[in-house]
């Protein structure tokens, strides 16, 4: 471990045989004795690029904008910070005009123009939806020659020399682009396409080679080493690939194979087992019209991992099936015609194909007589359409009836559940309220006994102890925590009561709301008195003031009014 290098190392660059390390804590030179020599304390040295026409200067993007380094007396040092842009820049690429394309970690893409001395940002253009960039979060960039490639979570865009806007990338050097695969440059017209589960090698005029390795998703890198190899950085380690590959791609995952075709004749119960790998004839096999029950077995020998398959039967559909780990597929009642069964796996872009023909029956030929065939066909078609229509009507009727029954059942179960929940919550609220009443009654009786004891004893009980006990009783009588618990339980049962009451009568005090809640539970003044820690007379006075605030007449029942809210 290089001393002081613990933490994030964002970049390693060799410039004039000097190793520069962009680090979370700044930038330092790694000397021959593996000791760091700090040249900048600007945090987060994400990337370093040379400045065009200035071999003694470098530009670095950091957590807080840009820094320029200058080489003097064979030593690199920090020259200055660039004014005009203090936001973090995670990645940058310089285009053919000397402008810098910069990626902010969360705010998207910027195109920046620098002054001639590289000390100030003179122009800044932000790219968004108007320029074709739909998503601007966690962008990534790469270059393919002079073409700038920008990747989002849902699209790949490109910008060619001379262009100001961004356009969707459909293909690159003759190869179609799938989704948001990331392109990485190699040597001599070679490049790599990084998918989520593989890395594919492309070269102009050569076949595509795919390897079952995964690069680090957020920081994909392909390094071109001087010893004739490419170096790949992965979460689980490193991989090497020779730059001069053979003309035949290495078979890392094997080829997908159709291993068996079973053709069944429903009338005679005969089974024909067919091995496509041994089929040497140039023409496709031909089956009789009764041999229309065909199943395929396929496999993809691979030492990497189990794979999933997708298939289609051309002649019936052009759409590929969903990916599945099933390695067999059966087709029944195939009509006469020409078919091509195709299957592929996730581990390879190759497709295995098996073509075959099914002959029509004799009565479907012209020699059986066009007259009665047309009449029979028309009648059969009419009956078939009528039958389908009748089935469709019955199916719709059954579906509607089933949906109605299901809807009613769901409503019934929901209502029962709500009623059960409400009864349970009401019971819990009643129990907690009853316990609170009992506790407060007990405290009030203790207070009365304490007062009597203090009076009868001729004040032999010290005033200090007497007042301490009274304060303790008052504290438990006015316990706010118990009211909070009661309020939560009350809201579970009567969830809109407080909100509606406060909205209709905003002048109500918390004491009024507390009294209203007890009245809503149909408690008597005698039961409410210990809850509020006052006398029954005091409760009656509070009820009178609450009735006045609610604007009720003398004949209106206060409890009934509150229970209707």
């Amino acid at each position: 471990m290089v001393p002081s290098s613990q933490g994030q190392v964002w970049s390693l660059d060799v410039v004039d045989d000097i190793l520069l390390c962009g680090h979370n804590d700044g930038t330092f030179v790694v000397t021959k004795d593996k000791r760091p020599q700090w040249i900048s304390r600007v945090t987060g040295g994400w990337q370093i690029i040379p400045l065009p026409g200035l071999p003694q200067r470098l530009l670095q993007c950091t957590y807080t904008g840009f820094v320029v380094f200058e080489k003097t007396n064979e030593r690199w040092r920090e020259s200055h910070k660039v004014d005009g842009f203090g936001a973090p820049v995670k990645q940058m690429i310089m285009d053919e005009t000397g402008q810098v394309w910069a990626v902010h970690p969360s705010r998207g893409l910027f195109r920046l123009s620098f002054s001639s001395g590289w000390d100030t940002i003179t122009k800044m253009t932000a790219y968004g939806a108007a320029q074709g960039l739909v998503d601007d979060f966690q962008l990534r960039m790469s270059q393919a020659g002079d073409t700038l490639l920008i990747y989002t979570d849902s699209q790949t865009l490109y910008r060619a020399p001379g262009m100001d806007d961004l356009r969707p990338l459909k293909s690159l050097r003759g190869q179609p682009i799938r989704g948001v695969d990331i392109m990485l440059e190699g040597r001599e017209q070679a490049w790599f396409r990084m998918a989520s589960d593989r890395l594919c090698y492309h070269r102009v005029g050569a076949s595509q080679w795919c390897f079952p390795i995964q690069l680090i998703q957020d920081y994909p890198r392909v390094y071109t080493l001087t010893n004739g190899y490419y170096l790949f950085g992965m979460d689980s380690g490193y991989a090497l690939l020779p730059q001069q590959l053979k003309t035949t791609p290495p078979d890392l995952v094997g080829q997908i194979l159709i291993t068996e075709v079973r053709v069944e004749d429903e009338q005679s119960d005969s089974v024909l087992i067919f091995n496509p790998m041994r089929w040497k004839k140039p023409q496709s096999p031909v089956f009789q019209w009764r041999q229309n029950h065909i199943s395929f077995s396929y496999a993809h020998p691979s030492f990497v991992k189990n794979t999933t398959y997708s298939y289609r039967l051309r002649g019936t559909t052009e759409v590929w099936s969903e990916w599945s780990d099933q390695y067999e597929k059966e087709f029944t009642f195939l009509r006469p015609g020409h078919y091509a069964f195709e299957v592929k796996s996730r581990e390879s872009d190759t497709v295995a194909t098996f073509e075959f023909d099914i002959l029509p029956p004799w009565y479907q030929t012209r020699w059986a007589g066009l007259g009665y065939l047309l009449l029979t066909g028309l009648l059969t078609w009419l009956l078939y359409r009528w039958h389908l229509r009748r089935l469709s009507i019955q199916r719709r009727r059954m579906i509607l009836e089933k949906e109605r029954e299901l809807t009613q059942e769901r409503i019934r179960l929901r209502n029962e559940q709500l009623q059960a929940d409400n009864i349970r919550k009401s019971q819990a609220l009643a129990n907690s309220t009853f316990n609170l009443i009992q506790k407060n009654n007990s405290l009030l009786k203790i207070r009365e006994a304490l007062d009597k004891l203090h009076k009868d004893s001729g004040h032999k009980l010290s005033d200090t102890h007497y007042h301490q006990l009274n304060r303790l009783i008052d504290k438990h009588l006015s316990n706010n925590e118990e009211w909070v618990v009661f309020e939560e339980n009350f809201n579970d049962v009567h969830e809109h009561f407080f909100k509606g009451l406060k909205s209709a009568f905003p002048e109500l005090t918390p004491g009024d709301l507390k009294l209203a809640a007890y009245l809503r539970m149909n408690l008597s003044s005698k039961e409410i008195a210990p809850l509020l820690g006052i006398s029954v007379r005091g409760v009656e006075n509070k009820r009178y003031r609450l009735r006045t605030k609610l604007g009720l007449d003398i004949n209106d029942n206060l409890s009934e009014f509150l229970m209707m809210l």
Side-chain angles (χ1 to χ4, degrees), residues 217-235:
Q217 291 295 315
D218 292 336
Y219 298 95
R221 295 286 192 275
V222 174
Y223 294 97
T224 302
L225 305 181
T226 57
N227 61 353
Y229 282 87
Y230 292 112
L231 174 67
F232 308 121
M234 304 178 296
D235 282 323

Side-chain angles (χ1 to χ4, degrees), residues 374-479:
L374 289 175
L375 182 60
T376 304
L378 179 60
L379 180 60
T380 303
W381 182 80
L382 290 175
L383 291 174
Y384 179 71
R385 294 294 298 176
W386 174 82
H387 180 65
L388 287 181
R389 185 173 182 275
R390 183 171 61 87
L391 290 178
S392 178
I393 293 173
Q394 292 178 354
R395 187 183 299 111
R396 287 198 297 270
R397 186 182 298 117
M398 293 176 64
I399 291 174
L400 290 174
E401 181 64 25
K402 191 66 176 177
E403 289 178 349
R404 183 163 52 250
E405 293 176 358
L406 291 175
T407 300
Q408 293 175 353
E409 182 65 14
R410 283 195 295 266
I411 293 174
R412 184 184 66 80
L413 293 175
R414 179 60 178 169
N415 289 337
E416 290 179 357
Q417 180 65 35
L418 290 176
Q419 290 176 1
D421 289 344
N422 193 48
I423 291 173
R424 178 181 55 80
K425 293 177 181 178
S426 298
Q427 186 63 40
L429 178 61
N431 291 338
S432 64
T433 305
F434 175 77
N435 292 334
L436 189 57
I437 292 173
Q438 293 295 101
K439 188 208 74 171
N440 285 2
N441 274 328
S442 298
L443 290 174
L444 291 173
K445 290 179 180 179
I446 292 173
R447 173 187 280 173
E448 291 176 0
L450 180 64
D451 291 339
K452 187 174 184 304
L453 176 64
H454 185 62
K455 181 178 180 181
D456 294 341
S457 63
H459 300 280
K460 292 182 179 181
L461 180 66
S462 69
D463 290 341
T464 300
H465 292 160
Y466 171 75
H467 291 305
Q468 284 179 348
L469 291 174
N470 262 322
R471 283 194 297 271
L472 183 60
I473 292 172
D474 290 336
K475 178 180 179 182
H476 285 279
L477 283 172
S478 60
N479 194 337

